[in-house]
Amino acid sequence: RPTDEEILRYERQIKEQQTKDTPLVSSLLDFSALEAEYENGELVYRNKIQHLKSTCLNMRTIKKDGNCFYRAFAFRLCELVRQHYQMPWYYKIVERAKQSRELMTTMGYDMSLLEDFWEPFGEILDKPEESEDKLLERFQTDYVSDTIVCYLRIVTAALLKRDRDLYEAFILDSFPTLEDFLATSVEPMGVESDQIHIVAMVNVFGIECKIANLDTTESSGINYHEISPMEPIQVDNAPSISLLYRPGHYDVLYPKPVV
């Protein structure tokens, strides 16, 4: 019988073969491909997609490689940084990002070894005047995109270690220790994220994340799960990140402005 590790490795190999020609982050898309994907699916899915079409401008698909949440979150965060350049929120979010380095040092990580992981992320934060095409190009480049994802995974681990009293109870039902959870479900690349990863990122950066759930729950429209930070950035009209969730996968959403 194969070990759990061998099964996971085999599943990742299949996923890599299925998505090898898929961009890490797509250009802006309408919802036609999503509609086509579910055209023979249950009515509840098709109704929710129609609701998405009426309430959102566009979406971006993210490669299904187990890193989709972190990549989607990071790309949209960097887009918002670019869009809010030199506004109060911009300075505060860059400060939060730089504080993540202090967090990792406090929790025993050697930043001299992790500086290469911070550098691509830091460069984007320091050059938000770059074009949208340039930002997309960066996130479509394997090394740059994966390095940012890896950095955010380690930041997540550092936060969970620091605030273990808040998070440990949710972890110990499924893992013997917090350290075991971090070693198997947070720090490795290609491992899918759960709500605890999202909560950690929201709290690190102080930004709200709204998750639209494309599921079979009966409702008049698509349900959003809003995850708010414990210490939000205090500015007027602070932006938020919106993602589309389907079991095991996240994409980026662009809701229509509220008038």
Side-chain angles (χ1 to χ4, degrees), residues 6 24-25 68 75 101 116 121 147 149 151 175 180 204 251:
E6 289 170 338
L24 294 173
V25 180
C68 54
F75 179 82
R101 303 166 73 194
D116 288 345
F121 189 38
T147 300
V149 168
Y151 179 78
F175 294 86
D180 186 63
V204 166
D251 292 311

Side-chain angles (χ1 to χ4, degrees), residues 188-207:
M189 294 289 282
V191 179
E192 293 177 0
S193 300
D194 207 340
Q195 180 164 328
I196 196 166
H197 303 77
I198 303 172
V199 171
M201 283 289 90
V202 162
N203 284 326
V204 166
F205 292 100
I207 186 170

Side-chain angles (χ1 to χ4, degrees), residues 27-198:
S27 301
L28 282 173
L29 303 171
D30 61 20
F31 292 91
S32 56
L34 190 64
E35 283 184 293
E37 185 178 339
Y38 285 89
E39 64 180 349
N40 297 317
E42 294 181 43
L43 179 62
V44 64
Y45 288 120
R46 288 180 275 136
N47 286 342
K48 289 187 177 185
I49 293 170
Q50 291 305 309
H51 185 256
L52 280 176
K53 287 178 64 178
S54 68
T55 57
C56 295
L57 297 170
N58 299 99
M59 66 178 293
R60 288 186 196 269
T61 56
I62 306 297
K63 188 170 184 175
K64 298 177 180 179
D65 63 355
N67 298 310
C68 54
F69 162 69
Y70 282 102
R71 206 179 311 277
F73 184 94
F75 179 82
R76 186 60 184 138
L77 182 70
C78 290
E79 266 194 321
L80 291 170
V81 165
R82 177 181 168 275
Q83 292 165 7
H84 290 77
Y85 182 44
Q86 294 186 327
M87 297 171 67
W89 183 83
Y90 163 76
Y91 295 107
K92 290 182 179 293
I93 196 71
V94 170
E95 181 183 358
R96 287 285 183 103
K98 291 180 178 179
Q99 286 172 354
S100 68
R101 303 166 73 194
E102 300 170 14
L103 167 64
M104 290 199 287
T105 299
T106 301
M107 298 316 300
Y109 292 91
D110 188 344
M111 274 309 299
S112 66
L113 300 177
L114 296 174
E115 201 62 38
D116 288 345
F117 293 91
W118 159 260
E119 189 173 313
F121 189 38
E123 281 184 3
I124 292 172
L125 298 177
D126 288 336
K127 296 180 180 178
E129 68 275 15
E130 285 185 341
S131 69
E132 182 179 309
D133 288 344
K134 180 63 177 176
L135 177 62
L136 181 60
E137 180 185 322
R138 285 178 182 266
F139 269 86
Q140 289 177 337
T141 303
D142 286 1
Y143 170 75
V144 174
S145 198
D146 285 350
T147 300
I148 292 171
V149 168
C150 186
Y151 179 78
L152 294 184
R153 284 184 174 278
I154 298 171
V155 172
T156 299
L159 182 80
L160 296 180
K161 285 181 180 180
R162 189 193 70 184
D163 297 339
R164 65 167 59 230
D165 290 347
L166 293 175
Y167 299 105
E168 202 164 34
F170 300 101
I171 292 167
L172 297 184
D173 285 344
S174 304
F175 294 86
T177 65
L178 173 65
E179 285 68 27
D180 186 63
F181 173 70
L182 299 180
T184 58
S185 301
V186 177
E187 294 171 335
M189 294 289 282
V191 179
E192 293 177 0
S193 300
D194 207 340
Q195 180 164 328
I196 196 166
H197 303 77
I198 303 172

